[in-house]
Each structure stands twice: as structure tokens, then as C-alpha cells.
Amino acid sequence: MSHTERTFVLIKPDAVRRGLVGQILARFEAKGLAIEALELRHIDAAFADTHYLDHVAKVWYPALRDYIVSGPLVAVVLSGPRAIEAVRVLNGATDGVVAAPGSIRGDFSLSNRENAVHASDSAESAEREMAIWFPGLR
């Protein structure tokens, strides 16, 4: 069995608005991932800029910032064997229109931006994002 790793997930404002938090969390738990931290939050633009640091200069970023601060979201730390890869497979392709049926985005999204979930794409981004959202997590 692979070593346990942690990853970071955001359940985005569109999914929270639509009452999908429980269904999304249930998919992660059904896969065998453990919830290590979870918090409902509403963030401001400065916090969004910190989280999306790599994207702030991109032309499409202001619309993403407006969306991510538009309502509450749920920040989650999950752990398990190959958790980063497992979560990314469960989430599906970024664009909900082309994401595979059965994936979170494939089942719950018709958008590239309002696509229900965000997940860390590497061990480095997971560490960075967990430190931003859950600075006291050990």
C-alpha cells in the first residue's frame, strides 16, 4: 500500500449554493479518503489572490476572483494513499462539459470556471494551499 499523503480541496461557491457539499464529500469518503480538516468560509479578494497566486496576472483571473468570493465555499484537507491523484481523478477534467460522467465535474458542472471543485495538483501545491487555508494544521 502506498504511503498516506494529504491534499487540499475547495468545494466552490456554485456547489455550495446548489447544496452539493454532502454529495461531493461522500464521494471522497466512499473512495477511502479521510477528512482531516473542513471549514465553511467566505473569502475576500486579497485571500483569493493569495490562493490563486500563480493566476493573478492572467487575463481571465478577475472573473475567477469575482466568482470565488461570490459566496461561501468549503475548504477541506483529505488524506489517504495517493490522495492527490485520487482526488483529481474523482474531480474529473477542469471543464465540466467534457469531464467524464461519474466524475464530480462531469456530473455537477457545465462550466470551466464554476466547476464545483478545486484540488491541489501536486504535493508542493497541496502543502502551499493547506498552509494558507489551515495554518495551524499539523
Side-chain angles (χ1 to χ4, degrees):
M1 184 162 204
S2 300
H3 77 284
T4 296
E5 68 183 3
R6 284 179 169 167
T7 192
F8 177 77
V9 171
L10 282 178
I11 301 175
K12 294 181 176 181
D14 60 301
V16 174
R17 262 192 299 278
R18 294 171 56 207
L20 300 173
V21 173
Q23 290 182 68
I24 292 170
L25 290 173
R27 288 183 184 211
F28 295 135
E29 289 184 308
K31 187 72 170 178
L33 298 165
I35 297 172
E36 291 200 13
L38 182 143
E39 186 175 339
L40 179 72
R41 290 225 191 133
H42 196 134
I43 63 169
D44 62 17
F47 196 95
D49 291 350
T50 300
H51 174 77
Y52 286 113
L53 187 62
D54 295 342
H55 303 308
V56 171
K58 298 190 172 135
V59 67
W60 47 262
Y61 178 69
L64 174 58
R65 181 196 305 129
D66 289 347
Y67 157 66
I68 208 70
V69 303
S70 69
L73 44 76
V74 177
V76 187
V77 174
L78 297 170
S79 66
R82 296 172 58 195
I84 294 166
E85 181 182 7
V87 167
R88 293 188 64 78
V89 170
L90 284 169
N91 284 354
T94 302
D95 185 342
V97 171
V98 299
S103 69
I104 291 168
R105 291 174 176 144
D107 290 351
F108 299 135
S109 173
L110 284 172
S111 174
N112 196 43
R113 179 179 306 118
E114 295 191 20
N115 60 0
V117 286
H118 158 85
S120 302
D121 62 3
S122 67
E124 296 76 25
S125 68
E127 287 300 318
R128 186 182 84 75
E129 292 171 347
M130 287 184 290
I132 292 167
W133 289 83
F134 296 101
L137 188 65
R138 297 187 184 278

